[in-house]
């Protein structure tokens, strides 16, 4: 019964994820030092325009995660499993359309707490969402080579290869 | 060789899977039994303010499977009571006959006796198989 509604369930979760991303992107511009501070909540508290931002971001991260959990129920059945994503892409491609940008990020993204990952991804043009393999940017011939895949794996896991 | 701390490994794994989208693993909703997955899905959709009315047919199936197991367990308990009553009647009812009691005893076998090679009485096994078949349809 559930799998008969797989496309509908996927569509609902994808649409909701897009709404969450839009909600986050419509927040006031993030404080300039936000990505470098250790206490994001305190940083937001310094700005009157951001009194409710941290709560919004925390809820957004949770709901966004929930959208992916719901979609994961039917991801494989719809043929959207990670193995169908472009060769050489990392798992973040399931939620970052521009996954190659994340690969070349200086590591700041990886250090962000969960609540700040969505705004960071939006700010850096990673295009967060709930993506099927056909939605995301394709990999380059270099990504598809053995060396390229090994390198991407190394970057994703923080190992210098 | 530098040894990584648990925190450092955690950071690396978070980097690897982006934290927000962990790979499906044991304990995730995708690996729950169909009835539990259905309950989780309803709860998740409600939290996201998404419609849940389309889950009604699946929930009706889950209820039917639950009722099938519950009714079978209840019937088994009642059969046990009938058997015990028949046994007692030999001592308390002057009109009771061994043949009558034996017939009553045997009639309850389908609910109480575990045939060789099986793990539960035939009726309970039928109920369990039927319930599982229904629950299998939840994921179809």
């Amino acid at each position: 019964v559930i799998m008969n509604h797989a496309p509908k369930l996927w569509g609902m979760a994808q649409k909701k994820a897009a709404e969450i991303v839009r909600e986050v992107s419509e927040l006031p511009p993030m404080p300039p030092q936000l990505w470098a501070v250790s206490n994001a909540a305190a940083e937001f508290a310094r700005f009157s325009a951001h009194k409710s931002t941290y709560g919004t971001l925390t809820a957004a991260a949770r709901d966004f995660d929930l959208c992916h959990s719901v979609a994961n129920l039917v991801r494989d059945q719809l043929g959207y499993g990670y193995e169908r994503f472009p060769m050489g892409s990392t798992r973040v491609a399931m939620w970052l359309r521009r996954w190659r940008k994340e690969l070349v990020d200086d590591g700041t993204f990886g250090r962000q707490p969960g609540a700040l990952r969505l705004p960071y991804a939006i700010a850096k043009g990673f295009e967060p969402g709930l993506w099927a393999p056909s939605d995301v940017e394709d990999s380059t011939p270099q990504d598809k080579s053995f060396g390229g895949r090994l390198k991407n794996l190394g970057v994703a896991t923080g190992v210098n290869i | 060789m530098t040894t990584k701390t648990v925190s450092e490994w955690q950071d690396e794994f978070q980097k690897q899977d982006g934290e927000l989208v962990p790979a499906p693993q044991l304990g995730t909703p995708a690996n729950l039994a169909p009835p539990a997955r259905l309950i989780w899905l309803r709860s998740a959709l409600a939290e996201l303010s998404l419609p849940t009315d389309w889950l009604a047919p699946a929930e009706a199936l889950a209820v039917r499977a639950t009722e099938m197991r519950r009714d079978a367990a209840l019937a088994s308990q009642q059969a046990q009571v009938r058997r015990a009553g028949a046994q007692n009647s030999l001592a308390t009812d002057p009109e009771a006959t061994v043949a009558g009691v034996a017939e009553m005893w045997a009639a309850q076998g389908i609910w109480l006796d575990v045939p060789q090679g099986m793990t539960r009485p035939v009726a309970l096994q039928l109920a369990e198989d039927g319930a599982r078949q229904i629950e299998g349809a939840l994921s179809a």
Side-chain angles (χ1 to χ4, degrees):
Chain A
V1 176
I2 293 176
M3 293 311 152
N4 287 342
H5 290 87
K8 176 182 179 177
L9 189 59
W10 178 272
M12 285 196 306
Q14 191 175 42
K15 188 177 170 195
K16 184 68 183 182
E19 285 174 16
I20 294 166
V21 170
R22 188 165 58 248
E23 182 190 4
V24 172
S25 65
E26 288 172 354
L27 288 170
M30 294 293 131
Q33 302 301 320
L34 181 64
W35 316 126
V37 299
S38 59
N39 188 344
E43 184 68 9
F44 281 125
R46 296 176 54 221
F47 302 88
S48 58
H50 283 297
K51 278 185 178 174
S52 60
T53 297
Y54 196 66
T56 302
L57 290 178
T58 303
R62 184 188 169 283
D63 288 351
F64 190 77
D65 191 18
L66 202 50
C67 287
H68 275 268
S69 295
V70 168
N72 280 344
L73 289 181
V74 295
R75 185 180 273 282
D76 286 342
Q77 285 77 7
L78 291 171
Y80 299 161
Y82 172 57
E83 72 282 357
R84 301 286 183 90
F85 277 72
M87 189 180 288
S89 65
T90 56
R91 298 191 77 91
V92 298
M94 290 191 283
W95 75 281
L96 298 178
R97 191 203 295 268
R98 304 290 171 202
W99 55 270
R100 299 197 85 261
K101 285 189 176 181
E102 191 273 335
L103 268 182
V104 297
D105 184 73
D106 61 4
T108 308
F109 176 67
R111 288 193 297 273
Q112 299 307 312
L116 294 191
R117 290 199 168 196
L118 264 181
Y120 186 90
I122 293 168
K124 298 297 179 181
F126 296 170
E127 297 188 28
L130 170 57
W131 306 124
S134 59
D135 295 329
V136 305
E137 73 172 318
D138 202 0
S139 47
T140 64
Q142 173 62 22
D143 291 320
K144 293 175 185 172
S145 68
F146 179 76
R149 281 183 283 159
L150 193 59
K151 182 183 173 190
N152 290 356
L153 174 69
V155 172
T157 55
V159 179
N160 187 11
I161 297 176
Chain B
M1 182 180 163
T2 310
T3 305
K4 285 183 169 36
T5 65
V6 171
S7 175
E8 286 169 339
W9 277 116
Q10 188 177 19
D11 286 344
E12 287 199 5
F13 290 138
Q14 284 177 344
K15 171 74 173 172
Q16 183 179 12
D17 64 21
E19 190 184 26
L20 285 168
V21 192
Q25 52 192 294
L26 284 175
T28 63
N31 290 309
L32 291 173
R37 193 188 312 158
L38 186 61
I39 292 169
W40 177 87
L41 180 58
R42 167 174 274 282
S43 158
L45 292 177
E47 285 184 31
L48 291 170
S49 304
L50 293 173
T52 57
D53 52 336
W54 60 279
L55 291 174
E59 287 170 335
L61 287 178
V63 168
R64 191 169 160 229
T66 302
E67 286 178 346
M68 195 173 286
R69 286 196 183 93
R70 189 194 59 207
D71 292 349
L74 184 62
S76 179
Q77 290 170 358
Q78 290 168 342
Q80 181 66 52
V81 171
R82 283 195 295 274
R83 242 185 202 181
Q87 174 72 52
N88 288 339
S89 69
L90 279 178
T92 57
D93 183 358
E95 294 181 5
T97 64
V98 172
V101 168
E103 192 178 339
M104 170 67 88
W105 179 284
Q108 313 309 317
I110 196 170
W111 293 105
L112 297 172
D113 299 335
V114 182
Q116 196 171 7
M118 294 180 71
T119 56
R120 48 167 70 95
V122 171
L124 296 188
Q125 186 66 52
L126 285 172
E128 180 61 28
D129 291 347
R132 287 191 182 192
Q133 212 167 344
I134 291 170
E135 288 170 350
L138 293 176
S139 304

